[in-house]
Amino acid sequence: SEYMDVEVQRDGFVYNLRFEKGFNVGGLKKTPSKSKATYTHITFKPDLDVFTDIDIPLDYYHEIIKKQAIVNKNLKFILIDEESGETFEYLYENGIMDYILEATKDDEIMTPRFCELETKGMDREDRADYKLKAEIVFAFTQSTSSMEYYHNSSFLEYGGSPDKAVKNAFVYAMDRYLKHGEKKKKNEKKVSFIDIQESLVIIVNSFSTHTSYENQTKKAINNKFIQEALTGFLREQLKIFFIENNEVAEKIMAQILV
């Protein structure tokens, strides 16, 4: 940033920090306040010495704020565009479930399935346990296809561990179901994830107390435990779903086999 001003109010004090070109200027200022409000106010200007263009389009803010509203259910986000005077609000009372209903409207083969996981484990034997929570919603549709992964409220463009878990679990569960129902010939190839993906909409929203990112861009995570936990959990959830909803399962399989 060319400059960044930070103001935080909490516990009866207002704290101020200023940065210029990445360096703190003037130190931390702490002022008593009679207000009981709690807030963080950040003002910044991208640095033209670093970026060739700092004209960030409004659509970028819409996309970022909408994604935050999706994974932070029942929390209202307000975007005020001072240039046009317009105000935009984003609120998903039921989080990822509301979002998937919005995405699959009038196209779904099934009612979206919601499931939750809470567990703990380790990536290696010499590492400590950490906690994992996950919300997953999936649905099969006639023509809509979408896969979105979020971890600790951040959008994972490439997914990493959750993406590998989803692909493994769905291929395993579908192939198992088809074999059990004798819909596949003995020498026929396994169902590929490409076949499944064409009619699948899924959102994985996970949180963990330890996260390992594939690189500095933080667009994918590579936690071994998260991948294994999500794979096992999704396999079991799909097995239960197919048993409980045989008629719907038949429609899904027919769509995939096409």
Side-chain angles (χ1 to χ4, degrees), residues 14-33:
V14 176
Y15 301 86
N16 292 94
L17 278 170
R18 181 176 176 85
F19 297 87
E20 293 178 4
K21 302 284 187 178
F23 295 95
N24 176 238
V25 178
L28 175 66
K29 296 177 182 177
K30 180 179 177 181
T31 310
S33 172

Side-chain angles (χ1 to χ4, degrees), residues 11-246:
D11 303 327
F13 291 93
V14 176
Y15 301 86
N16 292 94
L17 278 170
R18 181 176 176 85
F19 297 87
E20 293 178 4
K21 302 284 187 178
F23 295 95
N24 176 238
V25 178
L28 175 66
K29 296 177 182 177
K30 180 179 177 181
T31 310
S33 172
K34 293 180 180 180
S35 174
K36 293 182 179 180
T38 301
Y39 65 82
T40 299
H41 185 196
I42 298 172
T43 308
F44 71 96
K45 182 182 178 183
D47 194 343
L48 270 170
D49 290 338
V50 178
F51 303 101
T52 55
D53 182 12
I54 62 170
D55 183 18
I56 304 170
L58 184 61
D59 286 347
Y60 174 81
Y61 293 102
H62 278 293
E63 182 182 349
I64 293 293
I65 291 174
K66 181 177 180 178
K67 288 184 186 316
Q68 286 299 308
I70 290 166
V71 296
N72 291 281
K73 61 184 177 184
N74 207 28
L75 182 61
K76 184 187 289 185
F77 287 80
I78 302 171
L79 171 61
I80 301 169
D81 179 24
E82 294 181 343
E83 203 168 63
S84 67
E86 290 185 275
T87 297
F88 308 90
E89 293 187 1
Y90 290 95
L91 173 66
Y92 287 84
E93 290 184 6
N94 300 299
I96 59 176
M97 176 58 89
D98 284 352
Y99 177 57
I100 209 167
L101 288 169
E102 177 183 282
T104 61
K105 190 177 181 181
D106 301 326
D107 190 39
E108 68 271 13
I109 296 174
M110 55 170 278
T111 302
R113 179 89 167 187
F114 177 86
C115 43
E116 284 183 290
L117 167 68
E118 187 169 346
T119 185
K120 64 179 180 178
M122 63 184 77
D123 293 321
R124 293 200 318 246
E125 288 187 4
D126 60 333
R127 296 288 180 90
D129 280 357
Y130 61 90
K131 295 178 182 178
L132 169 66
K133 289 183 179 182
E135 297 178 331
I136 302 169
V137 180
F138 67 87
F140 282 92
T141 69
Q142 297 178 59
S143 58
T144 306
S145 176
S146 177
M147 297 169 63
E148 293 187 19
Y149 304 105
Y150 299 85
H151 190 73
N152 292 349
S153 292
S154 295
F155 175 60
L156 300 176
E157 186 176 349
Y158 304 123
S161 296
D163 182 60
K164 291 173 184 175
V166 165
K167 289 175 179 176
N168 180 296
F170 274 83
V171 169
Y172 174 86
M174 299 295 182
D175 200 62
R176 186 175 182 277
Y177 182 88
L178 290 170
K179 281 180 180 176
H180 180 73
E182 296 183 348
K183 291 179 176 61
K184 281 178 62 185
K185 296 174 183 177
K186 285 186 178 180
N187 297 323
E188 194 173 355
K189 287 183 180 179
K190 273 190 172 185
V191 172
S192 73
F193 188 73
I194 293 173
D195 299 325
I196 299 167
Q197 185 178 354
E198 289 181 354
S199 55
L200 174 66
V201 177
I202 185 166
I203 303 168
V204 179
N205 181 28
S206 55
F207 299 86
S208 68
T209 50
H210 169 72
T211 305
S212 175
Y213 291 95
E214 287 189 358
N215 52 50
Q216 288 298 314
T217 61
K218 296 188 176 182
K219 294 182 178 180
I221 61 172
N222 59 7
N223 296 67
K224 184 181 178 183
F225 166 65
I226 292 177
Q227 181 179 334
E228 291 174 348
L230 290 177
T231 300
F233 176 69
L234 271 171
R235 282 186 177 188
E236 185 63 24
Q237 289 297 313
L238 286 165
K239 177 183 174 182
I240 294 168
F241 173 74
F242 292 147
I243 291 171
E244 292 178 349
N245 303 275
N246 190 256

